[in-house]
Amino acid sequence: MRTPALHEDDWEYVQTLLPADLEESARRTSALVRCRNIPDAVSFMRMALAYAVSDLSLKDVAAWASALQVAQITGPGLFYRLREAEQWLEQVLGQVLSEQVSPAPGGFRLRVVDATVINGPGQKAVQWRAHASINPSTGGIRAVEITDDSGGEKFSRHHFGAGDVVLGDRAYATARGVYAVRQQEAHVVVRFNPATLRTCDEKRHRLYLAEKEAEVPKVGAVEFRIAIPVPPPATRSHKTWDAAKAIAWVAARAIAARTRKGEITWLLTTLPARQMPAIGILGLYRVRWQIELVFKRLKSLLHLDTLPSREGPTAKSWILARLIAAGLAQRLLQPSGPLSPWGYALRGNGPVAEPEEPAHA
């Protein structure tokens, strides 16, 4: 099946999905200033998308634009414009994604966060990271931030609404990260390693969860009510420090269960037990897999991992333009629904196990 060309056949419709203040924002961010060769911001966006979603070089995009009378510009001129357009493209990406967020009618508003590496030519292990937040009920991206290799994964990068339930993997299981989510009146469900996160009991006495693993049943789950001390800003949380100096304490639950191989999985949540029991939290965490599928789609269908320039001046603009294309594609065609390798799907306001075929006597 032919992939829709956002900058070609579908362009007339794609224009209706772009922010209404495209021209104003391009001027305000200096993406278009005294540019006689590009008639307007819509034409510039069309060329940016053409460069991002096609295999054309900047010189070829300039020739394509000239042939279609989109703009009269050279390859070096387009290079200069894209180099100066990072702030504008970031703003447009945020607008395209934010316009797709709709509040849930009830129940939990689930959010999943994670990051993926984007590499170009060369041997450097990590060149860029895309830190994304998705709505697992639709499989759509809600927000994304691009950083270089120094940008770590943390909850504090993201913005949440009161009542959101945020899912994250072990990289996000830090005291400061959990506290940042609670400061926004949201809740977390995150996998964690008891050896790397300081945990205390409800009386704020040190609790070593690794010593409790013998209590984890073969079937089912066990939970412990815990308190997490949040270290002062200048303290490295993985170093020894006095818990009496904690700037805050976060009440949480530590939930442990065994896999089929007998290995123990630890989850941490700030959701009260009255809202969701331990078994429900284990099922909820499986929904985190949705973001892995989003990254797979971005890299296999949109080829986000084929960065043409490793660290060049237009590398970030290329990434942002390709993510704008992904956001527009979400509006053109929503995924058919969330899937999970463990046999779970999202229906309505929560995760539901897919029905199994009845066993025959």
Side-chain angles (χ1 to χ4, degrees), residues 221-233:
V222 64
E223 71 173 72
F224 305 91
R225 295 184 182 276
I226 61 173
I228 305 170
V230 181

Side-chain angles (χ1 to χ4, degrees), residues 41-86:
V42 172
S43 299
F44 187 17
M45 178 59 67
R46 188 176 184 181
M47 288 189 290
L49 289 174
Y51 178 53
V53 302
S54 70
D55 295 326
L56 299 177
S57 66
L58 288 171
K59 179 180 178 182
D60 292 336
V61 171
W64 166 84
S66 177
L68 293 183
Q69 298 183 342
V70 174
Q72 297 296 326
I73 193 170
T74 64
L78 183 56
F79 168 87
Y80 172 79
R81 287 297 159 195
L82 285 173
R83 187 186 67 184
E84 302 299 316
E86 286 183 9

Side-chain angles (χ1 to χ4, degrees), residues 20 26 28 58 88 96-97 112 216 248 292 301 331 333 341-342:
R28 186 174 60 249
L58 288 171
W88 179 56
V96 168
L97 296 179
V112 185
V216 181
E292 303 294 347
L301 301 179
R331 303 185 69 174
L333 179 64
W342 289 277

Side-chain angles (χ1 to χ4, degrees), residues 1 4 49 91 97 101 132 158 199 214 219 319:
M1 183 177 68
L49 289 174
Q91 197 171 106
L97 296 179
V101 178
H158 303 274
T199 54
V219 179
I319 296 171

Side-chain angles (χ1 to χ4, degrees), residues 145-165:
E145 179 185 358
I146 305 299
T147 66
D148 58 18
D149 59 344
S150 63
E153 300 172 37
K154 50 189 177 181
F155 280 134
S156 58
R157 286 191 180 280
H158 303 274
H159 299 282
F160 308 107
D164 287 354
V165 177

